[in-house]
């Protein structure tokens, strides 16, 4: 990809969920269940990549980010006509890899 811009998508930093007892123990079983569910969510390190060439495919997108760390997934959404809208998503293995990728591809 030429002249791409990458940035972390909202919520990709994986802020820690509050524990069920953070409010002094108030709340019933429903409150504890919600906090437990939030704690089980996995942390994602997802980037949105804009200004992709229309010749770019998922293999090229992955190849552009692999020098900066392990790429878990590279995805370019497609329109019904088979063309893509000029952006894609890359999910990196770790927060450090995500930060290296942002610094490495933003020129």
């Amino acid at each position: 990809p030429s002249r791409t811009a990458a940035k972390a998508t909202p919520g990709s930093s994986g802020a820690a969920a509050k524990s069920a007892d953070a409010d002094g123990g108030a709340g019933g079983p429903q409150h504890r269940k919600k906090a437990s569910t939030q704690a089980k969510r996995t942390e994602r390190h997802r980037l949105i990549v804009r200004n992709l060439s229309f010749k770019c495919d998922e293999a090229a997108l992955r190849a552009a980010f692999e020098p900066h760390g392990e790429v878990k997934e590279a995805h370019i959404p497609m329109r019904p006509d088979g063309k893509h809208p000029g952006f894609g998503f890359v999910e990196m293995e770790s927060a450090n890899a995500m930060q290296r990728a942002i610094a490495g591809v933003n020129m």
Side-chain angles (χ1 to χ4, degrees):
S2 61
R3 284 203 71 187
T4 60
K7 71 176 189 175
T9 57
S12 64
S13 62
K18 291 181 181 180
S19 71
D21 295 328
D23 59 359
Q30 185 71 12
H31 178 74
R32 283 195 268 318
K33 182 178 178 182
K34 183 177 179 182
S36 174
T37 302
Q38 289 175 345
K40 290 180 184 177
R41 290 184 184 162
T42 58
E43 187 172 304
R44 296 180 72 182
H45 310 287
R46 196 168 188 206
L47 303 168
I48 183 168
V49 185
R50 297 179 179 158
N51 300 325
L52 290 178
S53 165
F54 292 106
K55 296 176 184 176
C56 183
D57 61 9
E58 289 178 357
L61 182 60
R62 177 179 290 273
F65 282 83
E66 283 179 336
H68 308 290
E70 184 179 343
V71 176
K72 289 177 70 174
E73 180 184 11
H75 175 69
I76 299 175
M78 299 302 258
R79 294 182 176 148
D81 64 4
K83 297 178 182 178
H84 70 76
F87 68 90
F89 301 96
V90 176
E91 185 173 351
M92 304 297 289
E93 181 64 33
S94 68
N96 287 338
M98 181 177 68
Q99 292 303 322
R100 286 192 309 268
I102 291 170
V105 299
N106 283 333
M107 299 177 221

